[in-house]
Amino acid sequence: MLARIRSAAVLGVDAYLVDVETDIAHGLPTFVTVGLPQGAVKEARERVYAAIANGGYDFPLRRITINLAPADVRKDGSAFDLPIALGILAATEQLNGAAVRHDDGRSAVGEPGPPAHLPVGPPVLGDYVILGELGLEGDLRPVRGVLSVALAARREGCRGVIVPQANLAEAAVVRDIDTLGATSLPEVVAYFTGCGSLQRLAVDPVSLFDRSVPDDVDFGEVRGQEHAKRALEVAAAGGHNVLMVGPPGSGKTMLARRLATILPDMTVDEALETTKIHSVAGMLPPGGSLVTRRPFRAPHHTISDAGLIGGGTHPRPGEVSLAHGGVLFLDELPEFRKNVLEVLRQPLEDGAVTISRAASSLCYPARFMLAAAMNPCPCGYWGDQGRTCTCGVLAVERYLARLSGPLLDRIDIHVEVPAVPYRELSTDRSGDSSVAIRERVNRARTVQLERFAKRPGIYANAHMGPRDLGRYCRVSDGADALLRTAIARLRLSARAYHRVLKIARTIADLAGAAAIAPAHISEAVQYRSLDRPVG
Ligand SMILES: [Zn+2]
């Protein structure tokens, strides 16, 4: 007899539905899985066998064939355990009492049912997308990519999903479908045979965006460095990449850590995108739901290019994708290996990374705000007022040359972070708190969201392409003259000119101005210090 259970698999960060077909025939006891099973799928047999036997059901000693359709896509992970176990039980008529459709007269158990908007009746096996890893005792363990699966189920018009209990909060943010959580195989069997129920949960995503928990660091604690703090506010408001240059101990890392506390609130769409990536990477905490705070990733400079970009035998998103929607902070930028910095160029340009594999290629979103910090020279005191640099000119040049021009070109804001004079450190006056700065950032970001409402994929000024500049960056007459002078005097490249315009747009948004004024241009030009001719 043949049974068909709906399940799903994840490719990249999106899921597609998979039919798990189970055929049980007379013959010597065998268990074959076809449809390009990889790694953990091939091992499902042992877990399924133990879970069925320990659940008090009969494991058929016959010829069992499992087909995962569509057959031409590789399938990895342990999420097929539960649908395979249910398929075996259904095909051996151990799911008696389960409502089964025979729409087309075939003897199949669990044919795909009607879409969600059709009348609600008793649970029908084929109406649900089912996934979960089985423990040997039949308990259900969490799997990766559940949010993507729930979104796919809704897209395909399925009635709902049945997921391990630990993944329920993640699936439940998808509206308009039935999201059910189960703790064991017998619980799922009881649900379909009408002997029990499963926990049903629906979560309003908006209710998860609660900022009442205070951050453990705050900009209010930073004394001095008003110029750097302002630069970070502008960067956060417009999503601009930022590079901080200054001697050791000037507080670059401290400032960067606080950048996370002033990032604008995420929209629901942004949160869904980021959560999908974290879920696929297995980075969501147990019972976790949406990622509602922008991520702040700070990989060490010894990271490999695969760790940064993603990939590996069983491809996983890298740091650039985990930072999607948030900040990727690279401290001691020149210490990163050159090939590692080179691979940053594609995500910085395209907002995504493509990982090539033998048979196919995967794409992970990777649009992040790059924040980087570096010393001005190997010893750190080049250009410092108080201390003498001990590096030769050549050493300084070699140090700076580790950063390629194309990389520097993609960083909008350069800011010098000098050592803080003692008198500033000893004052009691502290600057704005993170909450106050974030309010300004949020206001500026709201203006941008309205501006780009009809440009899908653009959330902030930093994402504008050259063609958008003419449309959205209206410059007042005085500002235009100032901009021309600055370009001529500083010999700015065309790219640098575009950067100045984008930053000026963000500064004008922070000021609530519709047109870019001279003051906005002159502040924006200050943030291009590394473009200025040396000497
Ligand atoms: Zn030095």
Side-chain angles (χ1 to χ4, degrees), residues 13 64-66 76 121 141 196 224 268 270 285 362 416 424 458 504 512:
V13 294
I64 302 173
T65 309
I66 312 284
D76 203 352
R141 302 196 174 145
V268 174
E270 286 178 304
L362 290 177
E416 283 163 41
E424 278 188 41
I458 294 193

Side-chain angles (χ1 to χ4, degrees), residues 273-287:
E273 271 183 39
T274 300
T275 307
K276 279 201 287 189
I277 300 168
H278 284 237
S279 171
V280 166
M283 303 284 291
L284 285 185

